[in-house]
Amino acid sequence: MTVKNKKLTSNKAAKTSAKNIAWDLSELFSGPTDPAIEQKLSAVMARADAFEKEFRGTISVPGGPDAEHVFDMLRESEAIQQDFTKIAYYAHLLFAADTTPELHRGLVSKMDEAESALRNKTLFADLEWLALSDDDAARVAGHPTLQNYRHYLDSARRFKPHTLSEAEERLMNEKDLTGIAAWQRFFSEFSSATKFKVKVAGKMRELNQSEILALFRHPNRATRQAAWQAFYGKLGEHSDVLSFVYDTRFSDHLISGRLRGYENPMQPRNLANEIDESSVKAMLAAVEQNYPVAHRYWKLKAKLMGLKKLELFDQYAPLFNASEKITYDESRKLVLDALNRFSPLFGETAQRFFDGNWIDADPRAGKRGGAFCASVGPEHHPYILVNYNDDMRDAATVAHEIGHGIHGELSRGQSIVNYFPSLPVAETASVFAEMLVFDSMLERITAPDKRLALICGKLEDSFATVFRQTVLTRFEELVYAARAGGRLSAERIGEMWMKANAPYYGKNVNLTAGYERGWSYIPHFINTPFYCYAYAFGELLVLALYGMYRRAKADGTAEEFKRNYTAMLSAASSKSPADLVAMMGIDIHDASFWQVGFDELARLVSDAERLAGKVKKG
C-alpha cells in the first residue's frame, strides 16, 4: 500500500525490541519456490492414489475387517497426512508472516485445493469405517493391535448420523474451495491490508490491526480514545463488506448443518470437542452467574481511575502508570525462569523455541495480527507467531504461546491422529504457563501500586478469556438464530452484539460508541464457529488446576502433580477431554468444578480491593 502523506509512520518503522525476530522455516522448505514442495506434493497425491487402490472396499465388509488390516490402513493414512501437513503448514506459515506477496497467497490457495483433492481421495476410508455396524466396529476397535487407535476409532463414529454419501461429501469439499474457504482467505487478507490512522504523541501514524489494538492499553486516556475512534471508525467504513462476509459465513454454516442433520449450529463444534451439550450449557450458565465478579472489578477500577463509570476504552488501561515496558529479551528471560522453576523439562523445552528461531515476533508490515502456535505434527517442532510491542501483556502472550509449544513438543510421542488436542484442553498448557509467569512476576514486586496493577492486568486477561469468550458464544447463538430468518445487516448484527455484551459489563462500564462494530474483526467467527467457549473451558480448567498446584506445593505433593500434569499433556488427544482431566482427579460433569475457577478470580478481586486500600492510604 502506498502512503501519500509522508508524515505517516508505517509499521516497518515501528520501534520494537523484537525487530527482525523471525522464525526460520528452512527446516521445512528453503523457500516458496523450492522444487521440493512440488515434488513432495506429487508424491503425496501418488501415495493417496495407491492408498485408495489398496484399501477401498476392504473396510466395510461383512463382519468387519481384520484389526491388522485396519492398523495398516491407519498407518498409511497417517503417513500421507503427515507429509501433506508439512507442505500445507509451510504455506500458511509463510502467508501469516507476510500476507502481501502474491507468491504466498498463491501457494496457500494451491494447498487449499490440494487439501480438498486429498480429502476426496481418502474420504472412502472414513465412510467405510462409519458404515460398519456398532457391534462390528466395537469388536475391531477393541483388538489389542489397535490399542493406540481405540479412542480415535471410537470417537470418529460420533459423526456417523451427520455424514453424507461419498459423492455428497466430495461435493461439499469441492464447493468449500470457492465457498467458505475463499471467504476466509478474503477476510484474512482484507484484515491484514487494512490500516488505521491515529495521532500518537503528536505524530500521525498509520498502524496495522495489532498495533492499534495495542494502543487500547496505552497509559494516556486521550490516546486510547483516539485509537478507539480510529479503529472502529475504519471498521465502520467497511461495514457493508464485513457484514456481507460474516452473513455469508453464518448462512454457509446453517446450510451445512441442515444438510448434515445437526440439531443446532453449535452441535458440530460440541461433537468435534467431544463435549456433551449439557456440560457446555452448565459452563456457560456458571459463567453468566458469576458476572457480578466482573462487576465488582469494574467498579473498583473506575474508582481507582477517578471515574464515575468506565468507557470501554478504559477497561485495559494500565493503572498508576505502572505499565512498564519489557523488551523481548527480558520477556524471554522471564518466561524461561518461571518455566524452569516449575519443571526443568518445561524450561528446556521452551529454550529450544528461542534458540532454534521457532518464533516470529516482529510486528512488521503485512504480517498477520494476533498470535498463534502452529503444531505441524509429531515429526516436526511447532512454530510460534506473536506481534511483540514491548508491553507486559506481550510477555504474557509469549508465555501463552510457549505453553502451546511445550504441549506440542510433549505430544510428539503420539501418532498424528492422536497428536492435535481438542479445543477444550488445547488451552491448558498455554494458560498454565501464563499463570506461572504471573506468579513469578508477583513475587518480585513489593510496591502496592505495582502489585495492584499486575493483579488487575491478570484479572482483565482472565475476564477476557472466561467472560468475554462466553459473550462471543452467546452472540453466535443470537446471530445464527436470527440468520435462519434471512440476511443480516451490519446494524442488525451490531444490535445482537450489544445485547450479548450488556450483561457482562453491567452498569459500571459504558458501551462506548463504535462498539456496535466490535464483532467485525474477530476471525474466530469466520474460521471456526463456536470456537470461543473452549477458551472459557480451558481458563476455568487451568484456574482449578493451578489452585491444585498451589495446594500441592503447600502439602509436599507438587512432584506428583507435575508428573500427572505432564502425562495429561503428553496424552494429547488419545483420550477424550473428560478422560484427560480425570487424570488430574477432575470431573467436568460436576457443577462445582466450574465454581472453583470463579473462586480463584474472586480471590484475586479481593486481593485487588485490599491493595487498593493500601494505595489510597499512600
Side-chain angles (χ1 to χ4, degrees), residues 528-589:
T528 323
F530 293 99
Y531 182 107
C532 296
Y533 79 72
Y535 282 120
F537 185 107
E539 179 82 7
L540 291 171
L541 170 60
V542 171
L543 287 170
L545 285 173
Y546 206 74
M548 293 170 60
Y549 173 54
R550 287 193 293 107
R551 291 192 295 272
K553 287 195 295 182
D555 63 23
T557 61
E559 291 306 314
E560 180 184 358
F561 174 91
K562 294 174 187 178
R563 285 194 298 272
N564 292 337
Y565 178 64
T566 302
M568 182 186 75
L569 297 181
S570 300
S573 60
S574 63
K575 300 176 183 291
S576 70
D579 288 340
L580 285 171
V581 300
M583 297 170 69
M584 302 299 299
I586 293 172
D587 180 5
I588 65 171
H589 299 98

Side-chain angles (χ1 to χ4, degrees), residues 157 184 189 211 215 221 270 306 371 395 401-402 478 501 509 513 533 547 563 576 614:
R157 292 181 62 82
Q184 289 167 339
E189 293 175 13
E211 288 180 306
L215 290 181
R221 193 169 194 241
N270 293 342
E401 301 305 335
I402 286 287
L478 288 172
N501 275 269
V509 182
Y533 79 72
R563 285 194 298 272
S576 70
K614 293 181 180 180

Side-chain angles (χ1 to χ4, degrees), residues 482-549:
R483 185 58 182 84
R487 186 178 184 279
L488 301 177
S489 66
E491 291 74 17
R492 181 73 182 104
I493 299 173
E495 291 171 3
M496 288 180 281
W497 173 255
M498 299 297 271
K499 180 179 180 180
N501 275 269
Y504 166 40
Y505 288 108
K507 64 181 181 180
N508 294 310
V509 182
N510 182 46
L511 299 182
T512 310
Y515 193 58
E516 64 275 9
R517 294 184 285 275
W519 50 271
S520 63
Y521 71 99
I522 299 173
H524 295 91
F525 297 151
I526 301 295
N527 296 326
T528 323
F530 293 99
Y531 182 107
C532 296
Y533 79 72
Y535 282 120
F537 185 107
E539 179 82 7
L540 291 171
L541 170 60
V542 171
L543 287 170
L545 285 173
Y546 206 74
M548 293 170 60
Y549 173 54

Side-chain angles (χ1 to χ4, degrees), residues 271-520:
L271 288 176
N273 288 346
E274 295 187 73
I275 298 291
D276 59 272
E277 186 174 347
S278 61
S279 294
V280 176
K281 287 183 176 179
M283 184 199 70
L284 295 175
V287 174
E288 291 172 323
Q289 289 167 8
N290 281 275
Y291 278 163
V293 175
H295 299 164
R296 275 176 60 196
Y297 176 72
W298 301 133
K299 183 177 181 180
L300 172 65
K301 184 161 188 177
K303 184 177 180 181
L304 290 168
M305 294 183 69
L307 301 170
K308 291 183 179 180
K309 192 174 187 179
L310 294 176
E311 294 291 335
L312 274 174
F313 56 76
D314 294 319
Q315 68 174 314
Y316 299 121
L319 296 171
F320 318 116
N321 291 320
S323 178
E324 300 177 2
K325 290 291 183 181
I326 178 170
T327 66
Y328 181 75
D329 188 56
E330 289 170 339
S331 74
R332 176 184 63 83
K333 293 175 182 177
L334 180 67
V335 170
L336 291 176
D337 177 67
L339 291 171
N340 272 306
R341 290 170 63 186
F342 173 71
S343 163
L345 173 62
F346 280 53
E348 292 165 6
T349 304
Q351 184 75 56
R352 295 201 293 272
F353 282 84
F354 294 101
D355 293 347
N357 295 325
W358 302 351
I359 303 175
D360 194 309
D362 184 355
R364 58 189 170 273
K367 181 178 175 180
R368 181 190 139 163
F372 65 77
C373 176
S375 293
V376 185
E379 293 187 2
H380 302 281
H381 62 75
Y383 291 86
I384 288 172
L385 180 143
V386 296
N387 284 273
Y388 199 87
N389 289 291
D390 290 354
D391 65 35
M392 294 301 293
R393 190 167 184 272
D394 292 331
T397 299
V398 171
H400 182 100
E401 301 305 335
I402 286 287
H404 278 306
I406 291 171
H407 198 172
E409 285 289 275
L410 291 176
S411 301
R412 290 180 68 178
Q414 301 289 342
S415 63
I416 195 167
V417 297
N418 291 328
Y419 175 75
F420 299 100
S422 61
L423 292 181
V425 293
E427 299 298 325
T428 305
S430 55
V431 179
F432 197 92
E434 278 192 77
M435 293 295 294
L436 290 169
V437 170
F438 169 73
D439 269 359
S440 181
M441 293 165 61
L442 200 59
E443 288 175 6
R444 303 179 185 191
I445 298 174
T446 57
D449 59 342
K450 292 187 181 294
R451 286 181 65 85
L452 176 57
L454 184 62
I455 290 173
C456 288
K458 183 58 186 173
L459 279 167
E460 290 162 11
D461 285 344
S462 294
F463 287 179
T465 307
V466 176
F467 295 128
R468 177 173 161 78
Q469 301 305 321
T470 296
V471 167
L472 267 55
T473 302
R474 291 306 196 196
F475 165 73
E476 286 188 284
E477 289 180 319
L478 288 172
V479 292
Y480 279 108
R483 185 58 182 84
R487 186 178 184 279
L488 301 177
S489 66
E491 291 74 17
R492 181 73 182 104
I493 299 173
E495 291 171 3
M496 288 180 281
W497 173 255
M498 299 297 271
K499 180 179 180 180
N501 275 269
Y504 166 40
Y505 288 108
K507 64 181 181 180
N508 294 310
V509 182
N510 182 46
L511 299 182
T512 310
Y515 193 58
E516 64 275 9
R517 294 184 285 275
W519 50 271
S520 63

Side-chain angles (χ1 to χ4, degrees), residues 96-240:
D98 189 352
T99 64
T100 55
E102 187 57 40
L103 191 61
H104 294 183
R105 298 182 186 187
L107 189 58
V108 167
S109 180
K110 183 175 184 177
M111 289 306 110
D112 287 346
E113 293 173 6
E115 183 177 15
S116 177
L118 186 62
R119 281 203 306 268
N120 282 342
K121 287 177 182 290
T122 59
L123 177 64
F124 74 90
D126 295 329
L127 297 180
E128 288 194 28
W129 174 251
L130 295 182
L132 291 176
S133 70
D134 290 343
D135 288 342
D136 287 342
R139 178 186 59 78
V140 175
H143 194 279
T145 301
L146 295 170
Q147 179 180 354
N148 291 334
Y149 295 99
R150 178 65 187 268
H151 174 253
Y152 169 75
L153 291 169
D154 286 344
S155 63
R157 292 181 62 82
R158 67 192 185 276
F159 289 102
K160 182 175 181 177
H162 310 289
T163 302
L164 307 176
S165 70
E166 183 173 355
E168 290 168 326
E169 291 288 351
R170 284 175 175 266
L171 286 173
M172 294 284 278
N173 287 338
E174 292 191 17
K175 71 92 179 169
D176 280 349
L177 286 174
T178 53
I180 193 57
W183 287 110
Q184 289 167 339
R185 287 197 304 273
F186 172 79
F187 179 78
S188 180
E189 293 175 13
F190 186 86
S191 298
S192 296
T194 302
K195 298 295 185 291
F196 306 88
K197 298 177 183 179
V198 61
K199 184 174 288 187
V200 182
K203 295 182 179 180
M204 187 62 72
R205 297 178 61 194
E206 182 174 76
L207 307 177
N208 63 23
Q209 186 178 109
S210 65
E211 288 180 306
I212 196 165
L213 288 175
L215 290 181
F216 288 2
R217 300 171 184 276
H218 197 280
N220 182 274
R221 193 169 194 241
T223 299
R224 294 196 304 274
Q225 184 173 11
W228 179 277
Q229 293 170 343
F231 181 67
Y232 286 109
K234 175 61 70 173
L235 292 180
E237 293 176 14
H238 300 306
S239 62
D240 287 344

